[in-house]
Amino acid sequence: MAKIKMTTPLVEMDGDEMTRVLWKMIKEILLEPYIELNTEYYDLGLPYRDETGDQVTVDAANATKKYGVAVKCATITPNAARVEEYKLKEMWKSPNGTIRAILDGTVFRAPILVKGIQPYIPTWTKPITIARHAYGDIYKNVEMQVPAGAKCEIVCTDANGNETRKVIHQFGESGGIIQGVHNVDASITSFARCCFTYALDKKQDLWFAAKDTISKTYDHRFKDIFQEVYDTEFKTKFEEAGIEYFYTLIDDAVARVVRSDGGYIWACKNYDGDVMSDMLATAYGSLAMMTSVLVSPDGVYEYEAAHGTVQRHYYKYLKGETTSTNSVATIFAWTGALRKRGEMDGNEELMTFADKLEEATIRTIEEGVMTGDLAAMSTLDNVQKVDSETFLREIAARL
Ligand code: NAP
Ligand code: MG
């Protein structure tokens, strides 16, 4: 076949360890034989981040703003052990954090469903995509342990120096604990916009939940901002797309999620998203089958796998042992980005290719050929565990 052409580049961010190894193999085996890949390459592998003083991460984020679509490999977030291992000049910040701050985006996580890997909740036949607000609340809290008899107040001093006070609690014979939390209208608004934008993109309903009956000012503000953004910017577009925005109380949402068959986007406040995203990832079966996309409020998309660099497998690989590392989420990061590039450029061939590569990947697993992590969970009776490279070649054969 003639290779598929790409008119506009895609931002490609390479990464670390086992996922860097898979990255190269995916390109060689599944992409380059079919597409004249047009990418602007940024090496976010830790050695080059260190060499450039992390400038490469900033450059990659700015390029994403410029071109609108990026695909990213998993990267190491350095800790003390990594500073030693890589002889780093500094303990560089999380690349994902840096990119998210520049794009002002929200992360959406969605599972990839295949026959043979059963969700713990059998009614979940469609993916539930979860979005977590990534600013404020208890993650930026101020707290204190206070003695018996303490009178605790919140005090707001406005820009003119006027004070407003409210008593939190007059402690009696027992001391206790207090906490101050905040959020910012601009951040909540931006989060709401990202969620509505992504729901429209996926043509799926958007759910949002908080505890506004108890938290009549704080959580209620979230509810009001979502409603306002919806009414002024998205209502008509949602009606045209035949999708709904649905607000409910968080406990009601949890009950409905468990009873549902999936197929919607669930926007969560920071803490709810922290807890519920781990619950969903586990319930769907495997972190290696979870995709992640960062969406900015103005519609810039960055795709990646939700898992990390799979360090333990990489050390085996370095010793020359064969590995059986699951590349599905990384393949889907590529197909997500290629499809979005195709959609933005009106490139039908590229979009079709993305669909076919996803179908071939799923069919490979459903025909029993899979990596060790899935083989250990699969309910199929003809399971054949293969190594990292064989898995990709089996997909290519079907593609
Ligand atoms: P991890 O790389 O996600 O791996 C944790 C374990 O999960 C693995 O040891 C493996 O289990 C299993 N696993 C994850 N992905 C798999 C795959 N594709 N195929 C097969 N098994 C898979 O998390 P981590 O070990 O905590 O973190 C390693 C590095 O990744 C850290 O330096 C961290 O900073 C980075 N990280 C990056 C991102 C990102 O860039 N988005 C996200 C998270 C972590 P077994 O060992 O039992 O086989
Ligand atoms: Mg968590």
Side-chain angles (χ1 to χ4, degrees):
M1 65 178 270
K3 285 195 192 181
I4 299 165
K5 292 196 167 43
M6 293 172 62
T7 48
T8 322
L10 178 72
V11 176
E12 173 185 352
M13 307 183 198
D14 208 342
D16 290 297
E17 299 195 311
M18 200 58 213
T19 41
R20 188 182 180 95
V21 176
L22 295 178
W23 194 260
K24 188 160 173 283
M25 291 201 287
I26 290 169
K27 285 174 68 180
E28 283 171 7
I29 299 170
L30 294 175
L31 303 175
E32 283 162 354
Y34 312 99
I35 305 173
E36 253 175 46
L37 265 190
N38 178 2
T39 69
E40 198 165 291
Y41 179 88
Y42 292 86
D43 185 359
L44 266 54
L46 190 50
Y48 195 64
R49 270 184 277 150
D50 194 48
E51 194 182 316
T52 61
D54 210 21
Q55 183 60 36
V56 65
T57 309
V58 175
D59 292 347
N62 285 326
T64 304
K65 264 189 170 169
K66 178 174 164 196
Y67 293 114
V69 191
V71 58
K72 180 180 168 292
C73 179
T75 46
I76 292 170
T77 298
N79 53 18
R82 299 298 202 166
V83 172
E84 179 61 27
E85 182 183 357
Y86 284 83
K87 306 277 174 261
L88 300 179
K89 290 185 264 188
E90 260 181 58
M91 198 186 292
W92 306 109
K93 283 189 279 186
S94 149
N96 285 16
T98 302
I99 296 165
R100 197 167 60 216
I102 293 172
L103 297 181
D104 181 26
T106 296
V107 174
F108 296 82
R109 279 176 152 209
I112 301 156
L113 303 190
V114 291
K115 278 195 212 83
I117 308 297
Q118 294 300 340
Y120 284 93
I121 298 187
T123 50
W124 288 357
T125 51
K126 290 180 273 182
I128 298 169
T129 300
I130 197 159
R132 171 182 172 187
H133 183 213
Y135 180 82
D137 303 349
I138 60 162
Y139 302 87
K140 288 237 183 281
N141 70 358
V142 178
E143 42 185 37
M144 270 184 231
Q145 197 171 347
V146 299
K151 179 186 178 189
C152 298
E153 297 172 285
I154 33 176
V155 183
C156 165
T157 312
D158 72 16
N160 300 319
N162 303 316
E163 285 185 358
T164 316
R165 291 171 176 267
K166 276 193 178 180
V167 176
I168 299 170
H169 191 63
Q170 170 66 63
F171 285 83
E173 282 174 19
S174 171
I177 41 181
I178 58 166
Q179 181 179 57
V181 295
H182 78 278
N183 220 299
V184 178
D185 286 353
S187 173
I188 303 167
T189 305
S190 167
F191 174 57
R193 268 195 200 115
C194 294
C195 292
F196 289 122
T197 303
Y198 193 64
L200 260 185
D201 187 53
K202 299 301 279 185
K203 299 233 178 332
Q204 289 183 352
D205 292 347
L206 179 73
W207 296 16
F208 177 58
K211 194 72 182 178
D212 64 287
T213 47
I214 299 296
S215 174
K216 289 182 167 49
T217 303
Y218 196 102
D219 274 28
H220 211 287
R221 186 83 190 124
F222 278 82
K223 180 184 177 181
D224 288 347
I225 289 176
F226 263 74
Q227 195 61 49
E228 199 180 305
V229 171
Y230 178 68
D231 289 341
T232 55
E233 299 173 35
F234 291 93
K235 193 166 190 288
T236 320
K237 291 179 197 156
F238 265 51
E239 283 165 3
E240 280 164 10
I243 56 173
E244 273 185 5
Y245 167 57
F246 173 61
Y247 175 85
T248 187
L249 285 171
I250 184 67
D251 35 1
D252 180 49
V254 170
R256 284 171 188 264
V257 164
V258 171
R259 289 196 308 262
S260 77
D261 60 355
Y264 50 86
I265 293 154
W266 184 15
C268 289
K269 286 183 63 200
N270 209 347
Y271 176 80
D272 299 335
D274 184 351
V275 177
M276 292 303 163
S277 63
D278 286 339
M279 190 271 285
L280 284 181
T282 308
Y284 271 109
S286 171
L287 188 60
M289 297 291 279
M290 189 64 77
T291 60
S292 171
V293 53
L294 176 73
V295 181
S296 81
D298 45 351
V300 167
Y301 292 74
E302 184 230 356
Y303 295 83
E304 68 169 333
H307 61 77
T309 60
V310 212
Q311 183 181 18
R312 199 182 64 83
H313 294 215
Y314 182 58
Y315 290 164
K316 276 180 70 181
Y317 167 86
L318 287 181
K319 279 194 256 165
E321 294 172 33
T322 50
T323 59
S324 183
T325 315
N326 189 336
S327 49
V328 173
T330 307
I331 295 170
F332 274 64
W334 272 101
T335 52
L338 291 170
R339 186 184 294 105
K340 179 55 75 182
R341 183 75 280 162
E343 200 183 297
M344 285 179 175
D345 298 349
N347 188 340
E348 291 283 343
E349 269 192 301
L350 198 57
M351 293 167 73
T352 308
F353 176 81
D355 292 344
K356 290 195 169 163
L357 179 50
E358 289 183 0
E359 283 162 26
T361 305
I362 288 172
R363 191 146 69 83
T364 303
I365 301 167
E366 294 186 344
E367 287 176 5
V369 180
M370 61 194 82
T371 47
D373 57 317
L374 296 184
M377 291 188 293
S378 178
T379 55
L380 301 179
D381 41 34
N382 58 335
V383 172
Q384 184 194 347
K385 177 189 158 182
V386 293
D387 63 71
S388 309
E389 185 178 336
T390 306
F391 180 65
L392 296 175
R393 300 220 175 269
E394 289 279 343
I395 296 171
R398 286 165 179 83
L399 180 64

